[in-house]
Amino acid sequence: MLEKWNRKCAYCGAENVPLEIEHIIPKARHGTSRVSNLTLACRTCNEAKGTKTAEEFGYPDIQKQARIPLRDATLVTATRWKVYNVLEKTGLEVECGTGARTKMNRIRLNLPKDHHFDAICVGASTPDKITLNTNSVLHIKAKGRGSHCRTNLDKYGFPRGYFARQKR
Ligand SMILES: [Zn+2]
Protein backbone atom coordinates (compact mmCIF):
# COMPACT_ATOMS: atom_id res chain seq x y z
CA MET A 1 0.00 0.00 0.00
CA LEU A 2 2.79 2.41 0.93
CA GLU A 3 4.64 1.74 -2.34
CA LYS A 4 1.48 2.02 -4.41
CA TRP A 5 0.44 5.35 -2.89
CA ASN A 6 3.96 6.81 -2.59
CA ARG A 7 3.78 7.05 1.22
CA LYS A 8 1.42 10.02 1.00
CA CYS A 9 -2.16 10.77 1.92
CA ALA A 10 -4.02 10.09 -1.36
CA TYR A 11 -6.29 13.10 -0.74
CA CYS A 12 -4.19 15.99 0.59
CA GLY A 13 -0.75 14.60 -0.28
CA ALA A 14 0.54 14.91 3.28
CA GLU A 15 3.86 13.13 3.89
CA ASN A 16 5.55 12.01 7.09
CA VAL A 17 2.26 11.76 8.96
CA PRO A 18 0.61 8.57 10.24
CA LEU A 19 -1.40 7.09 7.35
CA GLU A 20 -4.53 5.02 7.75
CA ILE A 21 -5.92 2.42 5.38
CA GLU A 22 -8.97 3.99 3.83
CA HIS A 23 -11.88 2.38 1.92
CA ILE A 24 -12.46 4.32 -1.32
CA ILE A 25 -16.04 3.07 -1.37
CA PRO A 26 -16.83 2.81 2.35
CA LYS A 27 -17.53 -0.61 3.86
CA ALA A 28 -20.95 0.62 4.97
CA ARG A 29 -21.78 1.19 1.30
CA HIS A 30 -20.79 -2.20 -0.11
CA GLY A 31 -17.09 -1.35 -0.47
CA THR A 32 -14.82 -4.39 -0.29
CA SER A 33 -11.49 -4.69 1.51
CA ARG A 34 -9.71 -5.66 -1.69
CA VAL A 35 -6.56 -3.70 -2.56
CA SER A 36 -8.47 -2.22 -5.52
CA ASN A 37 -10.76 -0.44 -3.04
CA LEU A 38 -8.11 0.69 -0.55
CA THR A 39 -5.94 3.77 -0.33
CA LEU A 40 -4.00 5.63 2.36
CA ALA A 41 -5.26 8.76 4.07
CA CYS A 42 -4.18 10.97 6.93
CA ARG A 43 -6.45 11.12 9.99
CA THR A 44 -7.92 14.49 8.98
CA CYS A 45 -8.86 13.40 5.44
CA ASN A 46 -10.13 10.01 6.61
CA GLU A 47 -12.44 11.69 9.10
CA ALA A 48 -13.57 14.38 6.67
CA LYS A 49 -14.39 11.79 4.01
CA GLY A 50 -16.58 9.79 6.41
CA THR A 51 -19.01 7.60 4.47
CA LYS A 52 -18.55 9.43 1.17
CA THR A 53 -16.94 7.67 -1.76
CA ALA A 54 -13.70 9.15 -3.09
CA GLU A 55 -15.66 10.55 -6.02
CA GLU A 56 -18.25 12.23 -3.77
CA PHE A 57 -15.39 13.56 -1.66
CA GLY A 58 -14.09 15.29 -4.79
CA TYR A 59 -11.38 12.84 -5.92
CA PRO A 60 -12.73 10.80 -8.85
CA ASP A 61 -9.23 9.81 -10.06
CA ILE A 62 -8.36 7.91 -6.90
CA GLN A 63 -10.73 5.08 -7.82
CA LYS A 64 -9.05 4.73 -11.21
CA GLN A 65 -5.57 4.73 -9.68
CA ALA A 66 -6.58 2.11 -7.11
CA ARG A 67 -7.67 -0.29 -9.86
CA ILE A 68 -4.18 -0.38 -11.38
CA PRO A 69 -2.65 -3.51 -9.90
CA LEU A 70 0.91 -3.52 -8.64
CA ARG A 71 2.90 -5.82 -10.86
CA ASP A 72 3.92 -8.96 -8.97
CA ALA A 73 7.59 -8.13 -9.46
CA THR A 74 7.18 -4.64 -8.01
CA LEU A 75 5.28 -6.03 -5.07
CA VAL A 76 7.97 -8.63 -4.35
CA THR A 77 10.77 -6.07 -4.67
CA ALA A 78 8.98 -3.74 -2.30
CA THR A 79 8.42 -6.35 0.39
CA ARG A 80 11.01 -9.13 0.17
CA TRP A 81 13.83 -7.64 2.29
CA LYS A 82 11.37 -6.22 4.78
CA VAL A 83 9.96 -9.73 5.28
CA TYR A 84 13.47 -11.17 5.50
CA ASN A 85 14.64 -8.62 8.07
CA VAL A 86 11.57 -9.07 10.25
CA LEU A 87 12.08 -12.85 10.22
CA GLU A 88 15.81 -12.48 11.01
CA LYS A 89 14.95 -10.46 14.11
CA THR A 90 12.88 -13.33 15.52
CA GLY A 91 16.15 -15.27 16.01
CA LEU A 92 14.75 -18.25 14.13
CA GLU A 93 16.81 -19.87 11.39
CA VAL A 94 16.05 -18.02 8.15
CA GLU A 95 17.09 -19.23 4.71
CA CYS A 96 16.67 -17.57 1.32
CA GLY A 97 15.98 -19.47 -1.87
CA THR A 98 15.70 -18.75 -5.56
CA GLY A 99 13.41 -20.13 -8.23
CA ALA A 100 16.43 -21.61 -9.97
CA ARG A 101 17.56 -23.49 -6.84
CA THR A 102 14.06 -24.82 -6.28
CA LYS A 103 13.97 -26.14 -9.83
CA MET A 104 17.46 -27.63 -9.50
CA ASN A 105 16.46 -29.44 -6.29
CA ARG A 106 13.24 -30.70 -7.83
CA ILE A 107 15.08 -32.14 -10.81
CA ARG A 108 17.79 -33.65 -8.57
CA LEU A 109 15.15 -35.37 -6.44
CA ASN A 110 13.27 -36.46 -9.54
CA LEU A 111 9.95 -34.99 -8.38
CA PRO A 112 7.13 -33.93 -10.73
CA LYS A 113 6.45 -30.23 -11.29
CA ASP A 114 3.71 -29.26 -8.84
CA HIS A 115 3.27 -26.54 -6.22
CA HIS A 116 3.50 -28.86 -3.25
CA PHE A 117 6.64 -30.58 -4.58
CA ASP A 118 8.21 -27.19 -5.25
CA ALA A 119 7.51 -26.27 -1.63
CA ILE A 120 9.65 -29.21 -0.45
CA CYS A 121 12.51 -28.11 -2.72
CA VAL A 122 12.97 -24.50 -1.57
CA GLY A 123 16.39 -23.51 -0.24
CA ALA A 124 19.89 -24.90 0.25
CA SER A 125 18.81 -27.06 3.21
CA THR A 126 16.73 -29.36 0.96
CA PRO A 127 17.90 -32.88 1.92
CA ASP A 128 19.26 -35.37 -0.63
CA LYS A 129 16.55 -37.88 0.10
CA ILE A 130 12.88 -37.16 0.70
CA THR A 131 10.40 -39.76 1.91
CA LEU A 132 6.78 -38.99 1.16
CA ASN A 133 4.42 -40.70 3.61
CA THR A 134 1.25 -39.82 1.75
CA ASN A 135 -0.05 -39.40 -1.77
CA SER A 136 -2.87 -37.04 -0.89
CA VAL A 137 -2.41 -33.28 -0.65
CA LEU A 138 -4.71 -31.11 1.42
CA HIS A 139 -5.94 -28.11 -0.58
CA ILE A 140 -7.26 -25.26 1.57
CA LYS A 141 -9.12 -22.28 0.22
CA ALA A 142 -10.07 -19.12 2.15
CA LYS A 143 -13.75 -18.42 1.57
CA GLY A 144 -14.36 -15.28 3.65
CA ARG A 145 -17.23 -14.81 6.07
CA GLY A 146 -19.70 -12.91 3.93
CA SER A 147 -20.41 -9.22 3.55
CA HIS A 148 -20.06 -6.49 6.17
CA CYS A 149 -23.02 -4.73 4.56
CA ARG A 150 -26.39 -5.52 6.20
CA THR A 151 -28.69 -4.10 3.56
CA ASN A 152 -28.98 -3.57 -0.17
CA LEU A 153 -29.31 0.00 -1.41
CA ASP A 154 -31.27 1.20 -4.41
CA LYS A 155 -29.67 3.65 -6.82
CA TYR A 156 -30.76 6.59 -4.64
CA GLY A 157 -29.11 5.12 -1.54
CA PHE A 158 -32.31 4.05 0.18
CA PRO A 159 -32.30 0.64 1.92
CA ARG A 160 -33.88 -2.11 -0.09
CA GLY A 161 -34.22 -5.46 1.66
CA TYR A 162 -32.11 -6.72 4.56
CA PHE A 163 -29.71 -9.61 4.69
CA ALA A 164 -30.07 -12.40 7.21
CA ARG A 165 -27.72 -12.19 10.20
CA GLN A 166 -26.20 -15.65 9.69
CA LYS A 167 -22.78 -15.97 8.22
CA ARG A 168 -21.16 -19.07 6.83
ZN1 LIG B 1 -4.84 14.02 4.02
Side-chain angles (χ1 to χ4, degrees), residues 48-115:
K49 182 171 171 285
T51 54
K52 288 182 189 145
T53 66
E55 191 165 1
E56 291 164 352
F57 191 49
Y59 296 84
D61 290 343
I62 285 180
Q63 181 70 77
K64 273 175 231 151
Q65 205 187 330
R67 284 204 198 96
I68 303 168
L70 269 187
R71 282 177 49 240
D72 289 354
T74 320
L75 189 65
V76 171
T77 312
T79 54
R80 74 203 309 182
W81 288 113
K82 176 72 182 166
V83 170
Y84 179 81
N85 290 331
V86 169
L87 288 172
E88 273 271 271
K89 283 203 193 102
T90 63
L92 296 167
E93 254 181 72
V94 183
E95 180 183 67
C96 289
T98 63
R101 187 193 286 280
T102 302
K103 187 176 178 184
M104 187 189 81
N105 284 335
R106 180 166 49 74
I107 290 166
R108 178 165 59 87
L109 294 165
N110 206 15
L111 292 168
K113 173 147 184 57
D114 212 332
H115 286 301

Side-chain angles (χ1 to χ4, degrees), residues 116-128:
H116 53 280
F117 289 124
D118 270 352
I120 309 174
C121 297
V122 174
S125 63
T126 305
D128 287 329

Side-chain angles (χ1 to χ4, degrees), residues 8-14 17 19 40-46 59:
K8 287 179 194 169
C9 171
Y11 299 102
C12 71
V17 293
L19 296 170
L40 296 173
C42 69
R43 184 88 277 265
T44 315
C45 290
N46 201 352
Y59 296 84

Side-chain angles (χ1 to χ4, degrees), residues 115-143:
H115 286 301
H116 53 280
F117 289 124
D118 270 352
I120 309 174
C121 297
V122 174
S125 63
T126 305
D128 287 329
K129 193 171 181 298
I130 284 175
T131 314
L132 299 169
N133 292 324
T134 178
N135 288 320
S136 61
V137 178
L138 181 62
H139 288 272
I140 300 175
K141 192 175 180 189
K143 306 277 273 185

